Amino acid sequence: MRAAVMYGAGDVRVENRPDPRIVRPTDAVVRTLAACVCGSDLWPYRSMPATGTGRPMGHEFLGVIEETGADVTALKTGDLVVAPFTYSDNTCDYCAKGLHISCRDGGRYGVDGGQGEAVRVPYADGTLVKVPAAADPVLVPSLLALSDVMTTGHHGAVTARVGRGDTVLVVGDGAVGLCAVIAARRLGAERIVLAGRHQARTGLGREFGATEVVAERGEEGIARIRELTGGVDKAIEAVGTRQALGTALGAVLDGGIVSRLGVPQYVEGAIGPAEFMRNITLTGGAGPARAYIEQLLPDVLDGTIAPGRVFDETFPLDRAPDAYRAMADRRVLKALLRP
């Protein structure tokens, strides 16, 4: 099969790799219909040391079951499925709490990455979510978004305890931030301030439900947000930098909640005595996508939400290196890959 492999910073290649096969009776092989490049893929794309073996890439994909192991009972060949960005057994104590990201038997896709023609999925019954609909081309991007960006954005809104009437700040106009806008609106937020400076993205954010956009950064951005709102009840940080976290902490009211979604690119955060005295709750983290897909799926199928609009360009799989470059250069918000 053909698959994208990263060999170092800026070095993504599409090459022939062995076809996935059933290794354990709980496995399934999924033939990929659509995959994508994640913002988190760009961190190694910018900094990964060169290697001679390469690293199969991708963890977000939508596909059709091609083969199942003997112990797979909930799925069958031909089923259309959404794959969360990590696999899980959906039976352990963490999964029972809705924390599938911490599943005791779970992990990340390895030998077969999602950016390929097929993937072996461990614990298929626990991991994959069957879509009760045909593969309508119009729905494919939004179904794919459930594998990561939409469920991650939703995780930010849920952990921030966004509710009816809230004023919410979303820091970051990337795909996750835009999906957090969708999620905050879906949960009843009255005002949503989107902090971002890319007009095409913030324009989409307004269509998703953002009521105000703030382009300023740092202290200037905090002052502008507070001028507009007097301070926000909840903040969702969807970038992963210290500056973004500082904006969220600076804009939220005392007693408010800040949820972190961006993978931190720092070791020490700005959380000291001042924040302690303000009784700010800091929450968030890696989203348990599997816990949310079935909640959000009906809204995708009936068109209530359309997170697939974050995919603004489609590339054939053989052009995966171009997709990475386009995203790294900020010419594309989120690239969809078609095997």
Side-chain angles (χ1 to χ4, degrees), residues 36-37 141 173-175 178 198 200-201 204 307-315 323 326-327 330-337:
C36 53
V37 179
D173 57 11
L178 295 176
H198 303 91
R201 300 181 181 192
L204 182 57
R309 295 180 65 195
V310 301
F311 296 105
D312 52 345
E313 189 162 345
T314 298
F315 296 80
M327 283 186 61
R330 292 187 176 273
R331 290 181 283 112
V332 168
L333 167 59
K334 191 165 179 66
L336 189 148
L337 298 174

Side-chain angles (χ1 to χ4, degrees), residues 180-205:
V181 171
I182 294 174
R185 174 61 68 199
R186 180 178 177 273
L187 292 178
E190 182 175 333
R191 295 181 72 181
I192 302 171
V193 180
L194 175 60
R197 56 174 55 186
H198 303 91
Q199 291 186 2
R201 300 181 181 192
T202 57
L204 182 57

Side-chain angles (χ1 to χ4, degrees), residues 20-31 61 64-73 75-77 81 109 112 118-125 127-128:
R21 60 183 182 85
I22 300 297
V23 176
R24 297 180 178 176
T26 51
D27 291 347
V29 173
V30 176
R31 180 64 54 180
F61 58 98
V64 174
I65 299 285
E66 190 170 75
E67 184 181 3
T68 60
D71 290 349
V72 176
T73 59
L75 301 164
K76 65 182 186 303
T77 299
V81 291
Y109 302 102
D112 311 314
V119 184
R120 178 181 72 89
V121 179
Y123 299 103
D125 275 346
T127 301
L128 300 171

Side-chain angles (χ1 to χ4, degrees), residues 257-339:
I257 302 174
V258 173
S259 177
R260 296 191 305 166
L261 293 184
V263 179
Q265 302 306 304
Y266 53 87
V267 177
E268 297 181 358
I271 309 167
E275 289 72 31
F276 174 80
M277 295 302 294
R278 295 176 59 206
N279 282 283
I280 293 172
T281 297
L282 186 63
T283 183
R290 181 62 180 83
Y292 300 131
I293 292 174
E294 287 166 308
Q295 297 176 27
L296 298 171
L297 183 57
D299 283 3
V300 166
L301 293 176
D302 68 13
T304 300
I305 60 174
R309 295 180 65 195
V310 301
F311 296 105
D312 52 345
E313 189 162 345
T314 298
F315 296 80
L317 178 60
D318 281 341
R319 289 188 57 209
D322 296 333
Y324 273 84
R325 278 191 292 272
M327 283 186 61
D329 294 343
R330 292 187 176 273
R331 290 181 283 112
V332 168
L333 167 59
K334 191 165 179 66
L336 189 148
L337 298 174
R338 292 277 194 176

Side-chain angles (χ1 to χ4, degrees), residues 68-298:
T68 60
D71 290 349
V72 176
T73 59
L75 301 164
K76 65 182 186 303
T77 299
D79 284 346
L80 176 65
V81 291
V82 178
F85 67 90
T86 59
Y87 62 83
S88 58
D89 60 22
N90 204 24
T91 59
C92 78
D93 52 339
Y94 281 122
C95 291
K97 297 175 184 177
L99 202 59
H100 297 72
I101 194 75
S102 299
C103 176
R104 295 186 184 277
D105 293 314
R108 291 180 171 271
Y109 302 102
V111 175
D112 311 314
Q115 294 166 13
E117 293 178 323
V119 184
R120 178 181 72 89
V121 179
Y123 299 103
D125 275 346
T127 301
L128 300 171
V129 178
K130 181 179 176 181
V131 178
D136 185 335
V138 174
L139 289 178
V140 163
S142 288
L143 292 170
L144 175 61
L146 293 177
S147 66
D148 188 344
V149 288
M150 184 60 227
T151 46
T152 296
H154 182 65
H155 182 59
V158 168
T159 53
R161 300 204 291 273
V162 172
R164 192 160 302 282
D166 280 341
T167 297
V168 178
L169 167 67
V170 175
V171 184
D173 57 11
V176 169
L178 295 176
C179 286
V181 171
I182 294 174
R185 174 61 68 199
R186 180 178 177 273
L187 292 178
E190 182 175 333
R191 295 181 72 181
I192 302 171
V193 180
L194 175 60
R197 56 174 55 186
H198 303 91
Q199 291 186 2
R201 300 181 181 192
T202 57
L204 182 57
R206 285 187 182 277
E207 293 181 36
F208 283 161
T211 52
E212 289 106 345
V213 170
V214 171
E216 296 87 348
R217 292 184 176 179
E219 292 301 321
E220 187 180 0
I222 294 170
R224 178 61 178 153
I225 294 162
R226 283 191 165 267
E227 178 187 349
L228 286 170
T229 65
V232 300
D233 304 304
K234 318 285 172 61
I236 301 169
E237 187 274 289
V239 180
T241 63
R242 280 195 62 173
Q243 183 183 70
L245 177 61
T247 298
L249 291 168
V252 76
L253 292 165
D254 289 13
I257 302 174
V258 173
S259 177
R260 296 191 305 166
L261 293 184
V263 179
Q265 302 306 304
Y266 53 87
V267 177
E268 297 181 358
I271 309 167
E275 289 72 31
F276 174 80
M277 295 302 294
R278 295 176 59 206
N279 282 283
I280 293 172
T281 297
L282 186 63
T283 183
R290 181 62 180 83
Y292 300 131
I293 292 174
E294 287 166 308
Q295 297 176 27
L296 298 171
L297 183 57

